Amino acid sequence: MEKPMNKLENLEPKRVFYYFEQLSQIPRCSYNEENVSNYIREIGKKLGLETVQDNVLNVIIRKPATLGYEDSEGVIIQGHMDMVCEKEDTSSHDFNKDPIKLEIDGDYIHADKTTLGADNGIAVAMGLAILEDTTLEHPSIELLVTTSEETEMDGALGLSEGVLKGTRLLNIDSEEEGVLVTGSAGGELIEVKIPIEYKEVSDSYEIEIEVRGLMGGHSGMEIHKPRGNSNKILNSILREIKETIDIKLISITGGTKDNAIPRQSRVKIGVDSEDLSKFNDKIEEIRKKIIDENKLEEPDISIGITKGNLVSKVLSSKVLSSLILLIDSIPTGVFTRLPQDKEIVESSSNLAIIKTEEEQIIIQVSTRSSAESVLLKLRQNILEEIDKTNASYSISGNYPEWEYNPESKLRDTALALYKEVFGKEMESTVIHAGLECGVFAKKYPELDIISFGPNMYDVHTPKERLSISSTKRTYEYLKELLKRLN
């Protein structure tokens, strides 16, 4: 592992950014968290604090209450240690071994062509800085750092019931300063499997079509924005070509994370030699049209076409027809909005991943909703479309919604403090992204929970960036909030 560059050493709050830079040196994609979990555990031990590392690598570090707070109810500071690992095509970064290369641009920290990991490394950094600071006033603190939040929330789901002692939980996994999150969506993953059938061909050339350059983004936080889905766009190209040319499917792939709007997709098709000229004219016509239709919202969109060699084996026309039908009919984007507030997304789906395996094509659809009944309705709509083909499906990764609590002393305290400190109202809202708070609320029904965080932008993409000034303000707010929770 490379020695830390100490690029953040002059930033304030100093110890928060110290720990953030240390975390950035440790590879920590979801399911590759043992090293970072051990690092956090060792920090707790070095501070002489009670430290627990459980069988799913969650870490809990307990700090006793300071003088005058001994009788106050305990507070849990919570974040997750894993990060979404996405990079640009031109990046040679290896997420399994390379540290994140941090860059400073004005008020922002970003990475070199990769995701930054501020989601949610900044929460862990703040928590560790709180633990080591002996000048603070606070109730007893438990720093809870969970694993695999960005996939199926395995850490939160695997947390033993009864292990937490605090009654108030501060989740620092939100991405907009001045917004207090008090509810979030639940969701699940629907995986569709199209069986593969092959056939031999003798006069077809391989053509690769690639859609790239889209913005992508967090499928909870950005799903309502006018951003393109590369899987959907690529499918529209296939559908239009197929209307006039007898193309053959070889393979298709698109998207990398089920909680990220896909930015790039590619398909390999076979085109008979006698159709090549017609195909070239048609694909150029489609390419120009697609770019023109999307360039306002997706200014960097591009469509690449590459001609290869003759192929001998392709997939059957039945597979291609099923694929086009499914991608066409499975919804992506907003499904419903909250009845009481049409500005807030209630439910959505993200046609996130397509991949070709030896015996099947996999389509993964991530669905979310803040109401379980609506999630079930969305699921039923998708399953009805799947049933029209010979595809099969499975449902996994279910995580619960976090329902808004109309009576929350913690929320009231946090809102009042924000106005006192910053002289303006703090917005209280329910978000469409999934948070671990829903899991904790189910395991600990009496737990009073809020979520907040500093300004972050374009998380789950290589453009992810963190505001330095917002981090400082949010950390000062966190310290003052702990002081008020007596």
Side-chain angles (χ1 to χ4, degrees), residues 184-203:
S184 63
E188 62 189 15
L189 183 70
I190 301 175
E191 183 169 274
V192 187
K193 300 175 181 179
I194 306 173
I196 282 179
E197 300 172 359
Y198 292 96
K199 69 175 184 179
E200 302 293 325
V201 291
S202 59
D203 191 31

Side-chain angles (χ1 to χ4, degrees), residues 19 34 97-98 112 116 118 151-152 170 196 202 210 220 223 237 269 278 316 335 339 341 347 350 355 429 437 446 471:
Y19 280 118
E34 184 174 3
K97 65 179 183 179
D98 295 338
D112 180 17
L116 174 63
T151 50
E152 297 185 352
L170 313 179
I196 282 179
S202 59
E210 183 177 30
I223 199 69
I237 294 172
I269 59 174
K278 184 179 179 181
S316 70
F335 182 59
D341 189 343
S347 64
N350 176 42
K355 54 187 176 181
T429 190
C437 301
E446 303 304 316
T471 299

Side-chain angles (χ1 to χ4, degrees), residues 38-308:
N38 291 343
Y39 169 78
I40 296 166
R41 179 196 63 197
E42 291 308 306
I43 295 295
K45 289 183 175 181
K46 287 179 182 178
L47 293 173
L49 301 175
E50 179 187 357
T51 303
V52 178
Q53 184 182 49
D54 67 16
N55 59 357
V56 291
L57 298 179
N58 297 320
V59 178
I60 302 172
I61 306 174
R62 297 189 173 101
K63 183 181 183 183
T66 57
L67 186 65
Y69 288 81
E70 297 91 343
D71 296 329
S72 301
E73 296 179 13
V75 177
I76 303 157
I77 299 174
Q78 191 269 323
H80 61 87
M81 64 184 76
D82 63 318
M83 63 178 281
V84 167
C85 294
E86 286 272 284
K87 64 180 182 178
E88 299 286 1
D89 291 345
T90 56
S91 172
S92 60
H93 185 91
D94 185 344
F95 281 109
N96 290 318
K97 65 179 183 179
D98 295 338
I100 299 296
K101 296 179 182 178
L102 302 176
E103 303 289 345
I104 299 175
D105 183 6
D107 185 48
Y108 296 104
I109 302 170
H110 63 89
D112 180 17
K113 299 181 181 179
T114 72
T115 39
L116 174 63
D119 175 15
N120 191 222
I122 198 61
V124 183
M126 287 186 182
L128 293 174
I130 291 288
L131 292 181
E132 73 168 23
D133 193 337
T134 59
T135 69
L136 302 179
E137 300 176 55
H138 56 75
S140 61
I141 291 174
E142 291 170 280
L143 175 63
L144 169 62
V145 187
T146 52
T147 56
S148 304
E149 188 273 349
E150 297 291 5
T151 50
E152 297 185 352
M153 298 194 185
D154 293 341
L157 290 167
L159 186 71
S160 298
E161 295 184 22
V163 70
L164 298 178
K165 300 178 180 180
T167 62
R168 300 171 287 184
L169 188 144
L170 313 179
N171 169 276
I172 310 177
D173 193 14
S174 293
E175 298 152 11
E176 188 175 357
E177 182 190 354
V179 175
L180 192 72
V181 177
T182 53
S184 63
E188 62 189 15
L189 183 70
I190 301 175
E191 183 169 274
V192 187
K193 300 175 181 179
I194 306 173
I196 282 179
E197 300 172 359
Y198 292 96
K199 69 175 184 179
E200 302 293 325
V201 291
S202 59
D203 191 31
S204 285
Y205 284 89
E206 179 183 291
I207 306 289
E208 181 179 275
I209 306 171
E210 183 177 30
V211 176
R212 55 181 178 260
L214 304 186
M215 285 187 284
H218 190 299
S219 63
M221 302 302 291
E222 274 89 31
I223 199 69
H224 63 291
K225 296 179 180 178
R227 297 188 177 182
N229 179 307
S230 59
N231 291 334
K232 283 281 190 176
I233 292 173
L234 182 63
N235 191 63
S236 69
I237 294 172
L238 284 178
R239 184 185 64 243
E240 189 165 349
I241 295 172
K242 186 174 179 293
E243 289 174 356
T244 55
I245 299 171
D246 181 26
I247 56 174
K248 289 93 173 171
L249 180 64
I250 300 171
S251 67
I252 185 168
T253 182
T256 57
K257 298 290 186 298
D258 62 50
N259 54 6
I261 301 168
R263 299 180 295 113
Q264 180 175 326
S265 303
R266 65 170 62 90
V267 66
K268 291 181 180 180
I269 59 174
V271 178
D272 291 345
S273 58
E274 63 183 18
D275 290 327
L276 280 175
S277 178
K278 184 179 179 181
F279 170 82
N280 290 335
D281 292 340
K282 187 65 177 178
I283 192 63
E284 183 60 23
E285 173 191 327
I286 294 171
R287 188 189 71 82
K288 290 179 180 178
K289 183 181 71 171
I290 294 292
I291 291 175
D292 187 59
E293 289 174 348
N294 290 275
K295 65 182 179 182
L296 185 62
E297 287 82 18
E298 296 285 0
D300 296 325
I301 185 175
S302 65
I303 299 172
I305 299 99
T306 306
K307 181 176 178 290

Side-chain angles (χ1 to χ4, degrees), residues 56 60 63 172 205 269 314 336 348 378 386 431 444 462 484:
V56 291
I60 302 172
K63 183 181 183 183
I172 310 177
Y205 284 89
I269 59 174
V314 298
T336 60
S348 73
L378 175 56
I386 298 171
I431 64 168
Y444 297 84
R484 297 297 175 92

Side-chain angles (χ1 to χ4, degrees), residues 419-438:
K419 185 174 183 180
E420 178 182 330
V421 172
F422 297 106
K424 56 185 177 181
E425 299 287 347
M426 189 180 205
E427 180 185 351
S428 177
T429 190
V430 174
I431 64 168
H432 187 55
L435 292 175
E436 293 164 296
C437 301

